[in-house]
């Protein structure tokens, strides 16, 4: 599934004004009349669909509820070593039979 916020280049906490600005900026850059590349039309249609969903407050609320991800809880890093090994040079005697 495509993240509509990523298509417009905004964060999930963006307000309606930021979404509209991002939409207009993207449309100016990727409009098929300005960009002759064949993939520009496809990208333009994705931008239109993303703004259609996120530009309307009710649709955006439904989209956020449908795609809500559980918040990630930070995990404490594991200790590097549980062994108490002294740092520095150590001498080891090896016996050969």
């Amino acid at each position: 599934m495509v993240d509509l916020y990523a298509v417009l280049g905004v964060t999930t906490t963006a307000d309606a004004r930021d979404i509209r600005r991002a939409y207009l900026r993207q449309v100016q850059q990727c409009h098929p009349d300005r960009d002759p590349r064949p993939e520009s039309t496809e990208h333009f249609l994705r931008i239109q669909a993303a703004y259609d969903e996120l530009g309307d407050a009710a649709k955006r609320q439904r989209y956020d509820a449908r795609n809500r991800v559980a918040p990630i809880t930070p995990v404490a890093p594991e200790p590097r070593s549980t062994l108490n090994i002294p740092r520095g040079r150590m001498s080891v005697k090896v016996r050969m039979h």
Side-chain angles (χ1 to χ4, degrees), residues 1 9 12 14 20-21 32 35 40 49 53 55 57 59 61 65 71 81-82 84 93:
M1 177 172 231
T12 56
R20 180 163 172 78
R21 282 183 183 173
D35 192 1
S40 68
E53 190 78 21
K59 288 181 182 180
Q61 197 171 28
S81 174
T82 56
N84 190 10
K93 291 184 181 179

Side-chain angles (χ1 to χ4, degrees), residues 8-84:
L8 291 178
V10 295
T11 63
T12 56
T13 59
D15 61 353
R17 192 178 85 203
D18 292 337
I19 290 174
R20 180 163 172 78
R21 282 183 183 173
Y23 164 72
L24 292 174
R25 186 175 46 247
Q26 291 281 339
V27 165
Q28 286 177 355
Q29 292 174 356
C30 299
H31 195 278
D33 291 343
R34 295 186 121 192
D35 192 1
R37 295 178 299 163
E39 62 269 5
S40 68
T41 303
E42 185 178 321
H43 187 62
F44 178 76
L45 293 175
R46 276 190 303 231
I47 294 167
Q48 290 283 350
Y51 183 71
D52 182 48
E53 190 78 21
L54 299 178
D56 183 20
K59 288 181 182 180
R60 180 180 179 185
Q61 197 171 28
R62 282 193 300 261
Y63 174 78
D64 288 341
R66 189 173 55 238
N67 296 318
R68 182 168 294 142
V69 179
I72 300 172
T73 57
V75 178
E78 294 184 22
R80 289 187 179 180
S81 174
T82 56
L83 300 175
N84 190 10

